[in-house]
Amino acid sequence: MDSQTSQSSPAPEPPRTFQVDLRGLVDLLSHHLYSSPKVYLRELLQNAVDAVTARRAVEPGAPARVRLYADGAGGAGGAALRVEDSGIGLTESDVHELLATIGRSSKRAEGLQEARSDFLGQFGIGLLACFVVAERIRVVSRSARTPQAPPVEWTARDDGSYTVRTLPDEARPEPGTTVHLVARAGAAEWLAPERVLSLARDFGSLLPYDVRVGEDEVTDLPAPWDRPYASPANRRVALARHCQGLFGFTPLDSIDLSVPVAGIRGVAYVLPSAVSPAQRAGHRVHLKGMLLTERAEQLLPDWAFFVRCVLDTDSLRPTASREALYEDETLAAVRDALGERIRSWLTGLAAGDPERLEAFLAVHHLGVKSLARHDPEMLRTMLPWLPFETTDGRLSLEEFAQRHRVVHFTRTVEEYRQVAPIASAQGIGVINGGYTYDSELVEALPSVRPGTVVAELDADTVTAHLDAVDPAEELALAGFLAAARATLDPLGCDVVLRAFHPLSVPALHLDDRAARHEQARAQAEAQADDLWAGILGSLRGSAPRSRLVLNHLNPLVRRISSLPEPELIGTATESLYGQALLMAQRPLRPADSALLNRAFIGLLEWATHGEEGRG
């Protein structure tokens, strides 16, 4: 049966060859692979530099020149650009194999593989980027490997057609390559002399060869971070000037990022103003001297958002567009190494330059806190320096722990605002842990400062520190307290009487997350349909209720407690509750807003009726 099936099967079709729509491919490059037409110049520089590198691999003493000549006037043929190099050059067979085959790179050519790690480009699509700005590309080249071969000319158009011909020796006497571009309609600005010089300097300032646009030098070596300086002060001034020109700001400080073992050389500039941790930093990365990207985001650890860096690398891999870094183990290792350099800078400031450290932390304490929460050694080092908001003022954790036997903290800013004035008056030290990373660092304190007691401050702790009222006096006010409790019971709030300072505070509203959760559940239950109300009702627990702590020492509370009318006591209690909520700066629920409105109207009615009675 199998043999019969085999005999009746049709013969397989011969393999077919992909057909490439070059215009469609150019559109893909210009709109999706590359971020801007300006990359065409980077690709031209890349090809020229790689050609020089390839020639020097076989002829170490070969000249290393790249020249760009821009004709922005245009002439009869439109704006044009000519790029000449003294590189390895191409034979006629090389032209057919490499220039006319998309994805084929001379860096993969046999005999050059050993030097491949020195090349900037690897993907064989760089010359196509020129079609983003040019409708015609003409290449004239002479091979250094077969100098007896005549020069060869390759001319290509963006419709996918090309021609190849050999030229007389005088057309290209020396080995190397010349690329001629003619601007397409609407792209002449990219070939203007000023634009070509600006782009060449931006992309190629750190290239190791003699690169010029006309007679103007492009390279600026050695790099600012590698130059010899007369003193550290001179170095700081020079790097600050470099940062201003590159990033547009004068840095607080600069950090050496050289990691020779990882093939990294560069500098990090500390931002002079605070930035959000969520803001992704854009770093400048050069690959073997050629600018790869100005927006590298994954180069540093997330906590190092307070620096912008510029570096040159031999080890990192670019993506196909050569505008980003390939995320791999090498990049992860470099990220760790650069993070260690920044960490060492911080510890060095702590040990030897506390004034500069304080100036830095005044702006960027959030970044250091982000690092310290995962790094016990950094937390231990920064304990005397990191600032926290406390009831004793702005202090470090070390200073606060020295003053207080128990380090109390709140997890939210709202909780801190509720209790800070009262706790301070009672001698309770409290740290506001509501800001980013702060509560995590406070909780980690015992691990780096053995013997330190850390406790979250809740409503019960605050109430326990307030003085109890004499039992006889509280018994005499039983009727007032009963009326007040009946008024606030529907809001899930208890009423307690205490004596505390400052005297000017009539009432204190205390709750915790469990109480707020229960209030939110109850509110949702009241607004839900029967099905959801049943589900939410089943979640009802014995969560602690919020409480209104009335200050028996406050004159207003004393007058209210002596009112004879239960209705007026209820209105006054609602007013005290609303005022305590506002003082705590807590968001108001609809029920709270309704209560405030009701209490305000009730007090107005009572005041106007009182005036009528007196009249």
Side-chain angles (χ1 to χ4, degrees):
M1 183 68 179
D2 290 342
S3 61
Q4 292 177 356
T5 303
S6 175
Q7 291 173 1
S8 62
S9 299
E13 291 186 2
R16 300 174 184 264
T17 302
F18 282 106
Q19 301 299 311
V20 177
D21 179 352
L22 187 56
R23 281 185 173 146
L25 185 58
V26 169
D27 181 70
L28 178 67
L29 290 174
S30 59
H31 291 95
H32 299 285
L33 184 62
Y34 297 124
S35 62
S36 166
K38 69 180 182 180
V39 299
Y40 88 92
L41 193 67
R42 184 195 64 200
E43 299 300 333
L44 287 174
L45 283 176
Q46 168 192 301
N47 287 344
V49 168
D50 283 345
V52 171
T53 301
R55 184 175 180 186
R56 286 200 150 193
V58 294
E59 297 179 46
R65 296 188 309 272
V66 178
R67 296 290 184 268
L68 298 89
Y69 301 97
D71 179 10
L81 175 66
R82 183 171 88 254
V83 181
E84 299 179 354
D85 68 64
S86 59
I88 193 71
L90 300 170
T91 64
E92 184 175 356
S93 61
D94 291 334
V95 166
H96 284 290
E97 181 181 1
L98 301 174
L99 296 187
T101 306
I102 296 170
R104 182 71 59 84
S105 172
S106 63
K107 289 76 172 179
R108 303 189 184 101
E110 198 172 318
L112 296 179
Q113 191 70 19
E114 67 277 4
R116 182 178 173 185
S117 62
D118 294 327
F119 296 137
L120 298 171
Q122 304 288 339
F123 298 99
I125 58 176
L127 197 59
L128 285 178
C130 295
F131 280 124
V132 175
V133 298
E135 61 183 13
R136 186 172 79 250
I137 302 173
R138 177 171 168 256
V139 177
V140 177
S141 188
R142 184 164 196 160
S143 173
R145 285 174 291 173
T146 54
Q148 70 279 8
V152 60
E153 178 191 71
W154 176 82
T155 303
R157 294 183 176 276
D158 62 1
D159 61 2
S161 63
Y162 73 92
T163 60
V164 177
R165 63 173 180 154
T166 58
L167 299 176
D169 284 349
E170 58 268 21
R172 179 83 204 193
E174 298 295 328
T177 300
T178 302
V179 178
H180 302 263
L181 302 184
V182 177
R184 65 170 58 253
E189 62 174 299
W190 293 104
L191 273 62
E194 301 81 8
R195 178 64 68 88
V196 169
L197 178 60
S198 174
L199 291 177
R201 284 177 170 167
D202 196 36
F203 285 122
S205 62
L206 300 183
L207 290 174
Y209 302 138
D210 179 15
V211 183
R212 298 172 186 261
V213 176
E215 296 302 318
D216 294 314
E217 292 186 357
V218 168
T219 53
D220 185 20
L221 295 175
W225 51 84
D226 286 334
R227 294 171 189 168
Y229 295 100
S231 68
N234 288 350
R235 174 184 170 84
R236 281 196 293 271
V237 170
L239 290 179
R241 191 179 302 118
H242 175 249
C243 178
Q244 181 65 50
L246 203 60
F247 293 116
F249 65 84
T250 300
L252 282 178
D253 207 344
S254 59
I255 307 169
D256 179 28
L257 291 184
S258 296
V259 187
V261 69
I264 298 291
R265 303 160 300 280
V267 61
Y269 293 116
V270 181
L271 292 166
S273 56
V275 294
S276 166
Q279 181 176 327
R280 305 304 300 179
H283 307 292
R284 288 177 65 94
V285 178
H286 297 255
L287 179 62
K288 302 180 181 70
M290 181 75 75
L291 179 66
L292 179 70
T293 178
E294 301 172 276
R295 301 184 301 275
E297 294 183 349
Q298 305 300 328
L299 190 64
L300 297 180
D302 289 341
W303 55 262
F305 55 82
F306 50 82
V307 300
R308 296 290 180 271
C309 70
V310 52
L311 55 81
D312 189 21
T313 173
D314 297 331
S315 58
L316 298 178
R317 290 174 55 197
T319 58
S321 68
R322 289 184 39 79
E323 295 188 291
L325 295 170
Y326 190 81
E327 184 69 47
D328 58 9
E329 292 181 358
T330 302
L331 179 56
V334 166
R335 186 185 302 123
D336 291 342
L338 296 180
E340 185 56 39
R341 295 292 297 169
I342 297 173
R343 183 186 288 107
S344 298
W345 171 78
L346 283 170
T347 56
L349 288 185
D353 201 339
E355 290 185 2
R356 284 171 68 199
L357 179 61
E358 286 186 351
F360 166 76
L361 289 177
V363 179
H364 295 299
H365 57 273
L366 199 58
V368 181
K369 286 180 176 180
S370 174
L371 169 61
R373 66 193 177 120
H374 296 305
D375 188 331
E377 187 58 37
M378 180 58 63
L379 177 57
R380 186 179 293 106
T381 301
M382 290 294 140
L383 271 180
W385 309 104
L386 287 175
F388 288 77
E389 182 181 356
T390 80
T391 49
D392 294 349
R394 201 159 181 81
L395 299 176
S396 70
L397 287 180
E398 178 65 29
E399 290 175 294
F400 189 85
Q402 290 174 359
R403 295 186 184 190
H404 298 278
R405 184 178 59 84
V406 178
V407 177
H408 287 104
F409 73 99
T410 63
R411 291 193 183 275
T412 68
V413 174
E414 291 79 7
E415 291 171 347
Y416 178 80
R417 288 171 177 167
Q418 286 182 54
V419 303
I422 308 304
S424 180
Q426 314 309 310
I428 308 173
V430 185
I431 295 175
N432 184 355
Y435 296 116
T436 306
Y437 311 133
D438 283 8
S439 61
E440 295 175 71
L441 292 174
V442 174
E443 289 183 297
L445 188 55
S447 66
V448 296
R449 195 177 189 276
T452 303
V453 179
V454 172
E456 183 177 355
L457 189 67
D458 56 19
D460 289 335
T461 303
V462 176
T463 306
H465 278 80
L466 304 180
D467 293 335
V469 177
D470 181 85
E473 291 187 57
E474 186 166 2
L475 181 60
L477 298 175
F480 159 72
L481 292 174
R485 287 164 181 157
T487 300
L488 298 185
D489 184 69
L491 297 173
C493 181
D494 294 330
V495 177
V496 297
L497 189 65
R498 293 290 187 274
F500 56 87
H501 292 273
L503 301 180
S504 58
V505 177
L508 176 66
H509 181 267
L510 296 176
D511 64 3
D512 53 26
R513 284 179 300 283
R516 290 195 294 276
H517 175 75
E518 177 62 19
Q519 290 172 350
R521 186 210 57 76
Q523 181 179 343
E525 181 181 352
Q527 297 173 350
D529 57 29
D530 291 342
L531 173 62
W532 281 106
I535 295 174
L536 292 169
S538 68
L539 300 177
R540 186 184 298 114
S542 56
R545 290 153 59 93
S546 64
R547 67 195 65 177
L548 183 69
V549 184
L550 301 178
N551 188 0
H552 188 53
L553 302 180
N554 179 265
L556 177 61
V557 172
R558 285 183 173 272
R559 288 196 297 272
I560 291 174
S561 65
S562 64
L563 291 173
E565 303 173 22
E567 183 178 348
L568 189 53
I569 289 175
T571 299
T573 301
E574 289 180 335
S575 300
L576 290 173
Y577 174 84
Q579 188 265 352
L581 280 181
L582 295 174
M583 290 299 293
Q585 301 182 39
R586 290 290 312 282
L588 298 180
R589 298 172 297 163
D592 298 329
S593 299
L595 175 144
L596 281 171
N597 183 64
R598 185 170 62 248
F600 178 72
I601 297 298
L603 289 176
L604 284 179
E605 290 180 348
W606 176 81
T608 53
H609 289 163
E611 285 294 327
E612 291 174 1
R614 285 190 289 275

